[in-house]
Amino acid sequence: MGTLGRAAAEMQMKKLTYIGMELQFEWDQVAAFVKQPDGSLFSWRERFACFRHLIYSIVNKTNSDIVLKFDDKEFHWTQNELLLTRLEDEGVVKLVFPLHDEIKRKQLLRNWALNWLDFTWQPIDEIYSYFGTKIAIYFSFLGMYTRWLFFPAVFGLATQLIDFGSLQWLVLPAFFIFVVSWAVFFLQFWKRKNSALLARWGINYSLSEYKTLGNELDSLSYSLADDNVQEKKFADAPDEKRILQRNEWFGVLLRIRNNAIIVLAIICLQLPFELAYAHLYESIETEALRYVLTALYLVAIQYYTRIGGKVSVILIKYENNQGEQSSADSLVYKVFGLYFMQSYIGLFYHASLYRDIMTLRQVLIQRLIVSQVLENLIENSIPYLKYSYKKYRAVHKKKHEKESPAGKSVRLSTRVEKEYLKPSYTASIGEELEDGLFDDFLELTLQFGMIMMFACAFPLIFCFAALNNVTEIRADALKLLVMLKRPAPRAAATIGAWLNIFQFLVVMAICTNCLLLVCLYDEEGKWRIEPGLAAILIMEHALLLIKFGFSHFVPEEPAWVKANRVRYVAQAQNVCSKQLLRSISKLDTKWE
């Protein structure tokens, strides 16, 4: 622990103290800093950062070069050169990555990934300690979302099984109002849970704004340097204001340009493809062939949309985003726009042009079943196939080098070799993102949009989603613990831009379901546009009022979290005031 503490001090790492302020870590003041839920001083992300600092800071401090040998290979380690950098350049070290802790991994397998007794329970604190904040936040959100899905699933099942007699015409409007209220309350209660988790883990989310501001100020300082006014820095207010305004509007124009490229790509390339699929679907009469068509379509569109995602990654690099989080959010919005069109245009086409509710229900069932089966199959089989192929090549190479006799098996000798061959937890649109949660959150948002925007057309869709998510929790856990390398921990206080997308989908659901309800259907399932647009506007405005009104009924953080935050602010002000008074007193003494 002392080694890590000294490394954290060298890195000038910021840690949360018991007065609610993040201060630079000092080993001799260790008692002032908040500990983790498991009693350790550093979180997994902080320990990983310290380990990297230690191994990458090994420098040749001698007065001469050192000759190093490895497998008949000889190279020089020059003065003041980083050892690991030299080893990477020479190909001795291929990759630096965290290993799985076998004891903790097996414990998580037993208590989490293979624990089917409780459908949605998860050891979130243990996940946080092992994987870090971002992955723990994802699984906490997935578990809460799955638990909340059981409420509309039960209501949707009741609408199909119970005959309400003369009140049957009120069932779907009541179900839709319930679903909208459910979604609004779910997102609000998630914000409460998120803030409670951060408080329990000792993460001060309120300081994230200041960190973002710090990134902007760093960017500003570079801009000032380019304009030969670095020596003035922030003393010259007009220059500061001019640079900030220029960077702000230049970034806005870049984002508008890139968004326009994405929109044009959707209209010119993806929209005709989607409409062709919808037309073919209507022309096929055999149900089995429709399933085959849907499967082929989903596989093809997956690769097509990934190309669009890779283009989005390239466009992001040319945007003037302030910080890594701003770039990540911009990428989320662009890629979701592509997948939004891919997932829903066929459904909108069936709903608006054919106005056949039975066909729409069949399409919903096929999309949900086929897409979820394909997603799980691709998500879990591809990493295994990649690992098996790499393992086969490594064993074959080792067997060839050692010239083992025929019939004698050759195996990988160390656990490090085996884990090195496992795929990394990366996004499908670009391995440089090194964040597989991108795909997992995208899958959740697309599912949420489908069940919300077409809730009135097929209330049972919530049952399918709930069952899928129960298996998704265990499948994602197995994927992380067994099939992939242990991901490098990433800092994240919230689910970021994905929360805005969930809220956008709630508004979209109000619009689409109002159309479904107003377009009344007869016994044959053919819709007719009556009673008209007036009912649409009245219902839509009423539900939008419910949506934005209910958002203020539930506070975004629990009372105990708010009380702690207020107390921390008071303590911080008290400490700063005393320190400031001591400094002023010392200055007065010097002047006298």
Side-chain angles (χ1 to χ4, degrees):
M1 184 58 69
T3 303
L4 291 180
R6 286 185 287 274
E10 290 177 7
M11 297 168 60
Q12 299 181 347
M13 181 182 291
K14 296 291 184 68
K15 278 187 64 63
L16 187 66
T17 62
Y18 283 102
I19 62 171
M21 295 181 64
E22 280 192 349
L23 300 177
Q24 184 174 319
F25 181 80
E26 295 183 11
W27 178 241
D28 55 351
Q29 301 292 334
V30 65
F33 296 94
V34 174
K35 293 187 177 181
Q36 300 300 305
D38 59 0
S40 60
L41 179 61
F42 295 105
S43 67
W44 165 232
R45 183 182 65 85
E46 293 167 339
R47 292 199 306 274
F48 181 76
C50 291
F51 289 142
R52 286 187 63 89
H53 172 75
L54 288 171
I55 62 177
Y56 274 99
S57 61
I58 301 174
V59 181
N60 181 7
K61 296 182 179 180
T62 63
N63 295 325
S64 60
D65 294 353
I66 298 176
V67 178
L68 302 177
K69 294 183 179 180
F70 179 80
D71 284 351
D72 300 330
K73 191 175 184 180
E74 187 176 293
F75 51 91
H76 291 270
W77 183 20
T78 60
Q79 298 179 48
N80 299 320
E81 183 182 21
L82 296 176
L83 175 60
L84 197 59
T85 302
R86 166 55 62 186
L87 294 177
E88 289 176 335
D89 292 341
E90 296 293 336
V92 177
V93 174
K94 296 182 179 179
L95 183 67
V96 177
F97 63 94
L99 288 175
H100 279 288
D101 184 325
E102 282 302 299
I103 296 177
K104 293 182 179 179
R105 187 182 75 90
K106 290 179 180 178
Q107 189 176 24
L108 283 171
L109 273 172
R110 183 174 57 256
N111 299 334
W112 176 35
L114 300 177
N115 180 18
W116 291 88
L117 296 179
D118 191 328
F119 292 146
T120 60
W121 179 86
Q122 301 176 91
I124 295 299
D125 288 338
E126 286 80 359
I127 298 171
Y128 163 73
S129 299
Y130 191 77
F131 286 114
T133 310
K134 194 167 187 178
I135 290 179
I137 288 289
Y138 163 73
F139 278 103
S140 178
F141 180 84
L142 176 58
M144 181 175 175
Y145 172 49
T146 305
R147 284 193 298 274
W148 277 63
L149 270 176
F150 285 109
F151 296 104
V154 171
F155 197 161
L157 186 63
T159 62
Q160 304 299 307
L161 298 179
I162 301 175
D163 184 7
F164 293 91
S166 60
L167 298 177
Q168 189 67 36
W169 65 278
L170 286 175
V171 172
L172 284 182
F175 176 72
F176 177 49
I177 293 172
F178 170 81
V179 166
V180 171
S181 305
W182 165 84
V184 172
F185 279 118
F186 160 66
L187 294 176
Q188 286 300 113
F189 275 98
W190 162 248
K191 294 177 185 178
R192 285 175 60 86
K193 183 171 184 176
N194 192 12
S195 62
L197 287 174
L198 297 180
R200 194 165 76 210
W201 296 337
I203 300 173
N204 195 345
Y205 174 54
S206 61
L207 293 178
S208 63
E209 296 179 1
Y210 297 100
K211 293 177 183 176
T212 303
L213 180 60
N215 292 333
E216 293 178 0
L217 293 179
D218 290 340
S219 176
L220 172 64
S221 66
Y222 290 126
S223 299
L224 290 171
D226 294 337
D227 289 347
N228 297 321
V229 291
Q230 175 65 22
E231 67 279 357
K232 297 181 182 180
K233 220 135 190 208
F234 300 110
D236 194 345
D239 281 344
E240 176 189 347
K241 181 179 179 181
R242 176 176 56 81
I243 297 295
L244 281 172
Q245 288 180 337
R246 184 189 67 185
N247 290 345
E248 177 187 10
W249 287 107
F250 183 66
V252 169
L253 291 175
L254 285 177
R255 285 190 289 273
I256 291 174
R257 182 203 66 182
N258 292 344
N259 292 337
I261 293 174
I262 297 297
V263 171
L264 287 175
I266 291 173
I267 295 175
C268 299
L269 299 177
Q270 192 166 355
L271 186 59
F273 182 80
E274 300 289 345
L275 294 178
Y277 159 74
H279 179 72
L280 283 175
Y281 184 91
E282 285 295 329
S283 62
I284 295 176
E285 297 181 357
T286 307
E287 196 67 24
L289 289 178
R290 287 184 172 181
Y291 272 97
V292 173
L293 176 65
T294 302
L296 293 175
Y297 157 77
L298 291 175
V299 171
I301 204 65
Q302 278 285 340
Y303 289 97
Y304 175 80
T305 313
R306 285 179 184 178
I307 295 174
K310 292 180 184 294
V311 173
S312 300
V313 172
I314 296 173
L315 292 175
I316 291 297
K317 297 178 181 178
Y318 297 98
E319 289 184 358
N320 191 23
N321 292 306
Q322 305 296 343
E324 182 180 351
Q325 187 60 44
S326 178
S327 298
D329 291 346
S330 181
L331 179 63
V332 166
Y333 294 134
K334 288 178 175 59
V335 177
F336 177 77
L338 292 170
Y339 276 86
F340 181 87
M341 179 65 69
Q342 171 252 312
S343 299
Y344 306 129
I345 187 63
L347 299 175
F348 290 144
Y349 179 79
H350 285 290
S352 59
L353 295 184
Y354 286 92
R355 298 173 188 168
D356 188 338
I357 193 169
M358 299 308 298
T359 302
L360 180 59
R361 286 179 178 177
Q362 291 174 358
V363 173
L364 284 170
I365 295 172
Q366 291 173 0
R367 281 290 187 94
L368 193 63
I369 294 177
V370 175
S371 63
Q372 297 299 334
V373 170
L374 282 177
E375 283 289 339
N376 289 324
L377 186 63
I378 294 173
E379 186 178 348
N380 296 303
S381 62
I382 288 182
Y384 176 76
L385 293 174
K386 285 183 178 179
Y387 171 67
S388 300
Y389 176 69
K390 288 182 178 179
K391 185 178 178 180
Y392 168 78
R393 289 190 59 185
V395 171
H396 182 73
K397 182 179 179 182
K398 184 175 289 190
K399 184 177 180 179
H400 179 72
E401 290 174 351
K402 292 185 177 181
E403 297 182 353
S404 301
K408 185 178 180 180
S409 62
V410 176
R411 298 182 179 180
L412 300 178
S413 57
T414 65
R415 184 164 61 90
V416 176
E417 287 182 284
K418 294 178 181 178
E419 294 206 21
Y420 168 71
L421 296 176
K422 291 181 178 180
S424 300
Y425 189 44
T426 56
S428 60
I429 62 172
E431 293 187 356
E432 65 273 10
L433 294 179
E434 295 182 355
D435 191 353
L437 288 178
F438 186 94
D439 292 341
D440 292 327
F441 269 118
L442 181 63
E443 185 180 347
L444 281 184
T445 53
L446 294 176
Q447 181 201 81
F448 183 80
M450 185 175 294
I451 64 176
M452 286 295 298
M453 289 195 292
F454 302 95
C456 290
F458 187 51
L460 276 179
I461 198 171
F462 287 90
C463 296
F464 288 99
L467 293 175
N468 174 78
N469 286 5
V470 169
T471 60
E472 184 74 18
I473 292 173
R474 310 304 167 188
D476 286 349
L478 283 171
K479 177 180 66 177
L480 285 170
L481 292 170
V482 177
M483 292 185 288
L484 301 175
K485 291 187 185 76
R486 186 179 182 181
R490 293 176 174 270
T494 66
I495 64 175
W498 298 109
L499 183 61
N500 295 331
I501 291 177
F502 275 97
Q503 293 173 333
F504 161 77
L505 290 173
V506 174
V507 177
M508 286 294 298
I510 293 174
C511 301
T512 56
N513 282 279
C514 283
L515 287 172
L516 291 177
L517 288 175
V518 171
C519 297
L520 301 176
Y521 55 90
D522 58 22
E523 294 179 358
E524 297 179 356
K526 301 296 182 180
W527 299 350
R528 56 179 185 273
I529 307 300
E530 294 175 3
L533 292 177
I536 295 178
L537 294 175
I538 293 173
M539 187 177 299
E540 188 175 75
H541 282 67
L543 288 171
L544 287 173
L545 184 63
I546 290 175
K547 191 268 180 197
F548 293 108
F550 282 7
S551 299
H552 298 284
F553 287 168
V554 181
E556 293 188 2
E557 58 180 3
W560 65 272
V561 175
K562 187 174 183 179
N564 285 345
R565 184 163 52 81
V566 172
R567 185 172 68 251
Y568 289 155
V569 170
Q571 291 175 346
Q573 288 177 342
N574 187 30
V575 171
C576 292
S577 299
K578 290 181 179 179
Q579 186 65 34
L580 184 60
L581 288 174
R582 292 194 195 100
S583 301
I584 293 174
S585 300
K586 290 179 182 178
L587 289 175
D588 289 341
T589 303
K590 290 181 180 180
W591 290 338
E592 291 176 358

